[in-house]
Short mmCIF file of all heavy atoms in Angstrom, two decimals:
data_model
loop_
_atom_site.label_atom_id
_atom_site.label_comp_id
_atom_site.label_asym_id
_atom_site.label_seq_id
_atom_site.Cartn_x
_atom_site.Cartn_y
_atom_site.Cartn_z
N GLY A 26 21.35 -7.50 -17.16
CA GLY A 26 22.53 -8.35 -17.16
C GLY A 26 23.72 -7.80 -17.92
O GLY A 26 24.65 -8.55 -18.25
N GLU A 27 23.71 -6.51 -18.22
CA GLU A 27 24.80 -5.94 -18.99
C GLU A 27 26.09 -5.88 -18.17
O GLU A 27 27.16 -6.22 -18.65
CB GLU A 27 24.44 -4.54 -19.48
CG GLU A 27 23.29 -4.56 -20.49
CD GLU A 27 22.92 -3.16 -20.96
OE1 GLU A 27 23.66 -2.22 -20.63
OE2 GLU A 27 21.90 -3.02 -21.65
N GLU A 28 25.96 -5.43 -16.94
CA GLU A 28 27.14 -5.32 -16.09
C GLU A 28 26.71 -5.00 -14.67
O GLU A 28 25.53 -4.76 -14.41
CB GLU A 28 28.07 -4.21 -16.61
CG GLU A 28 27.43 -2.84 -16.62
CD GLU A 28 28.34 -1.75 -17.13
OE1 GLU A 28 29.49 -2.05 -17.49
OE2 GLU A 28 27.90 -0.59 -17.15
N GLY A 29 27.67 -5.01 -13.75
CA GLY A 29 27.38 -4.59 -12.38
C GLY A 29 26.95 -5.73 -11.48
O GLY A 29 26.50 -6.78 -11.93
N SER A 30 27.11 -5.50 -10.18
CA SER A 30 26.77 -6.50 -9.17
C SER A 30 25.44 -6.17 -8.50
O SER A 30 24.87 -5.10 -8.71
CB SER A 30 27.86 -6.53 -8.10
OG SER A 30 27.89 -5.29 -7.40
N SER A 31 24.95 -7.11 -7.69
CA SER A 31 23.71 -6.87 -6.95
C SER A 31 23.89 -5.71 -5.98
O SER A 31 22.96 -4.96 -5.72
CB SER A 31 23.29 -8.13 -6.20
OG SER A 31 24.29 -8.54 -5.29
N GLU A 32 25.10 -5.57 -5.43
CA GLU A 32 25.38 -4.46 -4.52
C GLU A 32 25.26 -3.12 -5.26
O GLU A 32 24.74 -2.14 -4.72
CB GLU A 32 26.78 -4.58 -3.92
CG GLU A 32 26.93 -5.70 -2.90
CD GLU A 32 27.08 -7.07 -3.56
OE1 GLU A 32 27.27 -7.12 -4.79
OE2 GLU A 32 27.01 -8.09 -2.84
N ASP A 33 25.73 -3.10 -6.51
CA ASP A 33 25.60 -1.88 -7.31
C ASP A 33 24.13 -1.55 -7.54
O ASP A 33 23.71 -0.39 -7.44
CB ASP A 33 26.28 -2.06 -8.67
CG ASP A 33 27.79 -2.19 -8.56
OD1 ASP A 33 28.36 -1.60 -7.62
OD2 ASP A 33 28.38 -2.89 -9.39
N ARG A 34 23.33 -2.56 -7.86
CA ARG A 34 21.91 -2.34 -8.12
C ARG A 34 21.21 -1.84 -6.86
O ARG A 34 20.39 -0.93 -6.91
CB ARG A 34 21.26 -3.64 -8.61
CG ARG A 34 21.70 -4.05 -10.02
CD ARG A 34 20.79 -5.14 -10.58
NE ARG A 34 20.92 -6.39 -9.85
CZ ARG A 34 21.80 -7.34 -10.17
NH1 ARG A 34 22.63 -7.17 -11.17
NH2 ARG A 34 21.86 -8.46 -9.48
N ASP A 35 21.52 -2.46 -5.73
CA ASP A 35 20.90 -2.04 -4.47
C ASP A 35 21.24 -0.59 -4.13
O ASP A 35 20.38 0.17 -3.69
CB ASP A 35 21.34 -2.96 -3.33
CG ASP A 35 20.79 -4.37 -3.46
OD1 ASP A 35 19.82 -4.55 -4.22
OD2 ASP A 35 21.32 -5.28 -2.80
N GLU A 36 22.49 -0.23 -4.35
CA GLU A 36 22.92 1.13 -4.03
C GLU A 36 22.22 2.14 -4.93
O GLU A 36 21.76 3.20 -4.47
CB GLU A 36 24.44 1.25 -4.19
CG GLU A 36 24.97 2.64 -3.81
CD GLU A 36 26.48 2.72 -3.92
OE1 GLU A 36 27.12 1.69 -4.22
OE2 GLU A 36 27.02 3.83 -3.72
N LEU A 37 22.13 1.83 -6.22
CA LEU A 37 21.45 2.74 -7.14
C LEU A 37 19.97 2.87 -6.81
O LEU A 37 19.39 3.95 -6.89
CB LEU A 37 21.61 2.23 -8.58
CG LEU A 37 22.96 2.51 -9.24
CD1 LEU A 37 23.04 1.80 -10.58
CD2 LEU A 37 23.17 4.00 -9.43
N LEU A 38 19.35 1.75 -6.43
CA LEU A 38 17.93 1.79 -6.09
C LEU A 38 17.68 2.68 -4.88
O LEU A 38 16.72 3.46 -4.85
CB LEU A 38 17.43 0.37 -5.80
CG LEU A 38 15.94 0.24 -5.45
CD1 LEU A 38 15.07 0.79 -6.58
CD2 LEU A 38 15.57 -1.19 -5.14
N ILE A 39 18.54 2.60 -3.88
CA ILE A 39 18.41 3.44 -2.69
C ILE A 39 18.54 4.91 -3.05
O ILE A 39 17.75 5.77 -2.60
CB ILE A 39 19.46 3.04 -1.63
CG1 ILE A 39 19.12 1.67 -1.04
CG2 ILE A 39 19.53 4.09 -0.52
CD1 ILE A 39 20.21 1.09 -0.15
N ILE A 40 19.52 5.24 -3.89
CA ILE A 40 19.73 6.63 -4.29
C ILE A 40 18.53 7.15 -5.07
O ILE A 40 18.00 8.23 -4.81
CB ILE A 40 21.01 6.76 -5.12
CG1 ILE A 40 22.24 6.43 -4.28
CG2 ILE A 40 21.14 8.19 -5.67
CD1 ILE A 40 23.53 6.32 -5.07
N TRP A 41 18.10 6.35 -6.05
CA TRP A 41 16.98 6.77 -6.89
C TRP A 41 15.70 6.91 -6.08
O TRP A 41 14.98 7.90 -6.20
CB TRP A 41 16.80 5.77 -8.03
CG TRP A 41 15.57 6.01 -8.85
CD1 TRP A 41 15.05 7.22 -9.23
CD2 TRP A 41 14.70 5.02 -9.38
NE1 TRP A 41 13.91 7.04 -9.96
CE2 TRP A 41 13.67 5.70 -10.08
CE3 TRP A 41 14.69 3.63 -9.35
CZ2 TRP A 41 12.65 5.03 -10.72
CZ3 TRP A 41 13.68 2.96 -10.00
CH2 TRP A 41 12.67 3.65 -10.67
N ARG A 42 15.41 5.92 -5.24
CA ARG A 42 14.18 5.99 -4.45
C ARG A 42 14.19 7.23 -3.56
O ARG A 42 13.16 7.90 -3.42
CB ARG A 42 14.03 4.72 -3.60
CG ARG A 42 12.78 4.72 -2.73
CD ARG A 42 12.52 3.35 -2.14
NE ARG A 42 11.42 3.38 -1.19
CZ ARG A 42 10.87 2.30 -0.65
NH1 ARG A 42 11.31 1.10 -0.99
NH2 ARG A 42 9.87 2.39 0.21
N GLY A 43 15.34 7.55 -2.97
CA GLY A 43 15.41 8.75 -2.15
C GLY A 43 15.11 10.01 -2.93
O GLY A 43 14.44 10.93 -2.43
N LEU A 44 15.58 10.07 -4.16
CA LEU A 44 15.30 11.23 -5.01
C LEU A 44 13.81 11.31 -5.35
O LEU A 44 13.20 12.39 -5.29
CB LEU A 44 16.12 11.13 -6.30
CG LEU A 44 17.62 11.35 -6.18
CD1 LEU A 44 18.33 10.98 -7.48
CD2 LEU A 44 17.93 12.80 -5.81
N VAL A 45 13.23 10.18 -5.69
CA VAL A 45 11.81 10.14 -6.03
C VAL A 45 10.96 10.50 -4.81
O VAL A 45 9.97 11.24 -4.93
CB VAL A 45 11.41 8.75 -6.57
CG1 VAL A 45 9.90 8.65 -6.75
CG2 VAL A 45 12.12 8.47 -7.89
N ASN A 46 11.33 10.00 -3.64
CA ASN A 46 10.59 10.32 -2.42
C ASN A 46 10.51 11.82 -2.17
O ASN A 46 9.48 12.32 -1.71
CB ASN A 46 11.24 9.66 -1.20
CG ASN A 46 11.18 8.14 -1.21
OD1 ASN A 46 12.01 7.48 -0.60
ND2 ASN A 46 10.22 7.56 -1.91
N ARG A 47 11.58 12.52 -2.46
CA ARG A 47 11.63 13.96 -2.18
C ARG A 47 10.99 14.81 -3.28
O ARG A 47 10.75 16.00 -3.08
CB ARG A 47 13.08 14.41 -1.99
CG ARG A 47 13.73 13.91 -0.71
CD ARG A 47 15.03 14.64 -0.44
NE ARG A 47 16.03 14.35 -1.44
CZ ARG A 47 16.94 13.37 -1.35
NH1 ARG A 47 16.95 12.59 -0.29
NH2 ARG A 47 17.82 13.18 -2.31
N ARG A 48 10.74 14.22 -4.41
CA ARG A 48 10.23 14.98 -5.55
C ARG A 48 8.81 15.49 -5.28
O ARG A 48 7.91 14.70 -4.98
CB ARG A 48 10.20 14.08 -6.79
CG ARG A 48 9.61 14.77 -8.02
CD ARG A 48 9.04 13.74 -9.00
NE ARG A 48 10.07 13.00 -9.68
CZ ARG A 48 10.60 13.36 -10.83
NH1 ARG A 48 10.20 14.46 -11.42
NH2 ARG A 48 11.52 12.61 -11.39
N PRO A 49 8.58 16.79 -5.38
CA PRO A 49 7.21 17.30 -5.21
C PRO A 49 6.37 16.96 -6.43
O PRO A 49 6.89 16.60 -7.49
CB PRO A 49 7.42 18.81 -5.08
CG PRO A 49 8.68 19.07 -5.86
CD PRO A 49 9.55 17.86 -5.64
N ALA A 50 5.06 17.07 -6.29
CA ALA A 50 4.18 16.88 -7.44
C ALA A 50 4.50 17.95 -8.48
O ALA A 50 4.83 19.09 -8.14
CB ALA A 50 2.73 16.96 -7.01
N GLY A 51 4.41 17.58 -9.74
CA GLY A 51 4.70 18.54 -10.79
C GLY A 51 4.96 17.86 -12.12
O GLY A 51 4.82 16.64 -12.26
N LEU A 52 5.34 18.65 -13.09
CA LEU A 52 5.55 18.17 -14.45
C LEU A 52 6.64 17.11 -14.50
O LEU A 52 7.69 17.25 -13.88
CB LEU A 52 5.93 19.34 -15.36
CG LEU A 52 6.10 19.02 -16.85
CD1 LEU A 52 4.76 18.58 -17.44
CD2 LEU A 52 6.65 20.23 -17.59
N LEU A 53 6.37 16.05 -15.25
CA LEU A 53 7.32 14.95 -15.43
C LEU A 53 7.68 14.86 -16.91
O LEU A 53 6.81 14.87 -17.77
CB LEU A 53 6.70 13.63 -14.98
CG LEU A 53 6.33 13.53 -13.50
CD1 LEU A 53 5.34 12.39 -13.28
CD2 LEU A 53 7.58 13.30 -12.65
N SER A 54 8.96 14.78 -17.19
CA SER A 54 9.39 14.71 -18.58
C SER A 54 9.05 13.35 -19.19
O SER A 54 8.98 12.34 -18.48
CB SER A 54 10.91 14.95 -18.69
OG SER A 54 11.62 13.83 -18.18
N GLU A 55 8.82 13.33 -20.49
CA GLU A 55 8.53 12.08 -21.19
C GLU A 55 9.70 11.11 -21.06
O GLU A 55 9.50 9.89 -20.96
CB GLU A 55 8.22 12.36 -22.66
CG GLU A 55 6.92 13.11 -22.88
CD GLU A 55 5.72 12.34 -22.36
OE1 GLU A 55 5.68 11.11 -22.53
OE2 GLU A 55 4.82 12.98 -21.78
N GLU A 56 10.92 11.64 -21.07
CA GLU A 56 12.10 10.79 -20.95
C GLU A 56 12.12 10.09 -19.59
O GLU A 56 12.38 8.89 -19.50
CB GLU A 56 13.38 11.60 -21.13
CG GLU A 56 14.64 10.74 -21.06
CD GLU A 56 15.91 11.57 -21.14
OE1 GLU A 56 15.84 12.80 -20.99
OE2 GLU A 56 16.99 10.96 -21.33
N TYR A 57 11.84 10.87 -18.55
CA TYR A 57 11.82 10.28 -17.21
C TYR A 57 10.75 9.20 -17.11
O TYR A 57 11.00 8.10 -16.62
CB TYR A 57 11.60 11.33 -16.13
CG TYR A 57 11.47 10.69 -14.76
CD1 TYR A 57 12.59 10.32 -14.05
CD2 TYR A 57 10.21 10.40 -14.24
CE1 TYR A 57 12.47 9.68 -12.82
CE2 TYR A 57 10.08 9.75 -13.02
CZ TYR A 57 11.21 9.40 -12.32
OH TYR A 57 11.09 8.75 -11.12
N LEU A 58 9.54 9.51 -17.56
CA LEU A 58 8.44 8.56 -17.46
C LEU A 58 8.73 7.28 -18.24
O LEU A 58 8.40 6.18 -17.79
CB LEU A 58 7.15 9.20 -17.97
CG LEU A 58 6.53 10.28 -17.08
CD1 LEU A 58 5.34 10.93 -17.77
CD2 LEU A 58 6.12 9.70 -15.73
N ALA A 59 9.38 7.40 -19.39
CA ALA A 59 9.71 6.22 -20.18
C ALA A 59 10.73 5.35 -19.45
O ALA A 59 10.61 4.12 -19.42
CB ALA A 59 10.25 6.65 -21.55
N CYS A 60 11.72 5.99 -18.86
CA CYS A 60 12.74 5.25 -18.10
C CYS A 60 12.12 4.56 -16.89
O CYS A 60 12.38 3.38 -16.62
CB CYS A 60 13.84 6.20 -17.64
SG CYS A 60 14.90 6.85 -18.93
N GLU A 61 11.31 5.31 -16.17
CA GLU A 61 10.67 4.77 -14.97
C GLU A 61 9.75 3.60 -15.32
O GLU A 61 9.78 2.55 -14.66
CB GLU A 61 9.88 5.87 -14.28
CG GLU A 61 9.23 5.42 -12.96
CD GLU A 61 8.35 6.50 -12.37
OE1 GLU A 61 7.29 6.79 -12.96
OE2 GLU A 61 8.73 7.06 -11.34
N LYS A 62 8.97 3.76 -16.37
CA LYS A 62 8.04 2.70 -16.78
C LYS A 62 8.81 1.43 -17.16
O LYS A 62 8.40 0.32 -16.80
CB LYS A 62 7.20 3.17 -17.96
CG LYS A 62 6.19 2.13 -18.42
CD LYS A 62 5.34 2.65 -19.58
CE LYS A 62 4.34 1.58 -20.03
NZ LYS A 62 3.50 2.07 -21.16
N GLU A 63 9.91 1.58 -17.86
CA GLU A 63 10.69 0.41 -18.28
C GLU A 63 11.21 -0.35 -17.07
O GLU A 63 11.12 -1.58 -17.00
CB GLU A 63 11.85 0.83 -19.17
CG GLU A 63 12.65 -0.34 -19.72
CD GLU A 63 13.73 0.08 -20.69
OE1 GLU A 63 13.78 1.27 -21.06
OE2 GLU A 63 14.53 -0.79 -21.07
N PHE A 64 11.74 0.39 -16.10
CA PHE A 64 12.27 -0.27 -14.91
C PHE A 64 11.17 -0.92 -14.09
O PHE A 64 11.26 -2.09 -13.71
CB PHE A 64 13.03 0.72 -14.02
CG PHE A 64 13.35 0.15 -12.67
CD1 PHE A 64 14.40 -0.73 -12.52
CD2 PHE A 64 12.57 0.45 -11.56
CE1 PHE A 64 14.69 -1.30 -11.28
CE2 PHE A 64 12.85 -0.11 -10.31
CZ PHE A 64 13.91 -0.98 -10.18
N LEU A 65 10.09 -0.17 -13.79
CA LEU A 65 9.03 -0.69 -12.93
C LEU A 65 8.29 -1.85 -13.58
O LEU A 65 7.87 -2.79 -12.90
CB LEU A 65 8.06 0.42 -12.56
CG LEU A 65 8.60 1.50 -11.61
CD1 LEU A 65 7.59 2.61 -11.40
CD2 LEU A 65 9.02 0.89 -10.27
N THR A 66 8.10 -1.81 -14.89
CA THR A 66 7.46 -2.93 -15.58
C THR A 66 8.28 -4.20 -15.41
O THR A 66 7.75 -5.27 -15.08
CB THR A 66 7.28 -2.62 -17.07
OG1 THR A 66 6.42 -1.48 -17.23
CG2 THR A 66 6.68 -3.82 -17.81
N ASP A 67 9.58 -4.09 -15.61
CA ASP A 67 10.47 -5.24 -15.45
C ASP A 67 10.48 -5.72 -14.00
O ASP A 67 10.41 -6.91 -13.72
CB ASP A 67 11.89 -4.88 -15.88
CG ASP A 67 12.84 -6.05 -15.78
OD1 ASP A 67 12.80 -6.93 -16.67
OD2 ASP A 67 13.63 -6.10 -14.82
N TYR A 68 10.53 -4.77 -13.06
CA TYR A 68 10.55 -5.12 -11.63
C TYR A 68 9.30 -5.90 -11.23
O TYR A 68 9.38 -6.96 -10.59
CB TYR A 68 10.67 -3.84 -10.79
CG TYR A 68 10.59 -4.09 -9.30
CD1 TYR A 68 11.73 -4.40 -8.58
CD2 TYR A 68 9.36 -4.04 -8.64
CE1 TYR A 68 11.66 -4.65 -7.21
CE2 TYR A 68 9.29 -4.29 -7.27
CZ TYR A 68 10.43 -4.60 -6.57
OH TYR A 68 10.34 -4.85 -5.22
N HIS A 69 8.13 -5.39 -11.62
CA HIS A 69 6.88 -6.04 -11.20
C HIS A 69 6.67 -7.37 -11.90
O HIS A 69 6.06 -8.28 -11.32
CB HIS A 69 5.71 -5.10 -11.43
CG HIS A 69 5.68 -3.93 -10.49
ND1 HIS A 69 5.70 -4.07 -9.12
CD2 HIS A 69 5.66 -2.58 -10.71
CE1 HIS A 69 5.69 -2.88 -8.55
NE2 HIS A 69 5.66 -1.96 -9.49
N GLN A 70 7.15 -7.51 -13.11
CA GLN A 70 7.05 -8.81 -13.78
C GLN A 70 7.81 -9.88 -13.01
O GLN A 70 7.40 -11.05 -12.98
CB GLN A 70 7.58 -8.70 -15.21
CG GLN A 70 6.63 -8.00 -16.17
CD GLN A 70 7.21 -7.84 -17.55
OE1 GLN A 70 8.42 -8.04 -17.78
NE2 GLN A 70 6.38 -7.48 -18.51
N LYS A 71 8.90 -9.49 -12.37
CA LYS A 71 9.72 -10.44 -11.63
C LYS A 71 9.19 -10.72 -10.23
O LYS A 71 9.46 -11.79 -9.66
CB LYS A 71 11.15 -9.93 -11.53
CG LYS A 71 11.88 -9.90 -12.86
CD LYS A 71 13.28 -9.33 -12.73
CE LYS A 71 14.01 -9.35 -14.07
NZ LYS A 71 15.36 -8.75 -14.00
#
Side-chain angles (χ1 to χ4, degrees):
E27 294 179 9
E28 60 180 1
S30 65
S31 59
E32 289 79 11
D33 293 329
R34 290 194 293 270
D35 292 343
E36 183 178 356
L37 282 173
L38 181 59
I39 290 171
I40 295 171
W41 173 38
R42 180 168 173 171
L44 289 169
V45 173
N46 294 155
R47 290 193 294 268
R48 177 205 288 269
L52 184 65
L53 297 161
S54 71
E55 292 300 320
E56 182 184 14
Y57 175 81
L58 288 174
C60 290
E61 183 185 70
K62 181 179 180 180
E63 184 175 353
F64 169 78
L65 290 175
T66 298
D67 182 77
Y68 175 88
H69 289 305
Q70 284 177 347
K71 292 178 178 177

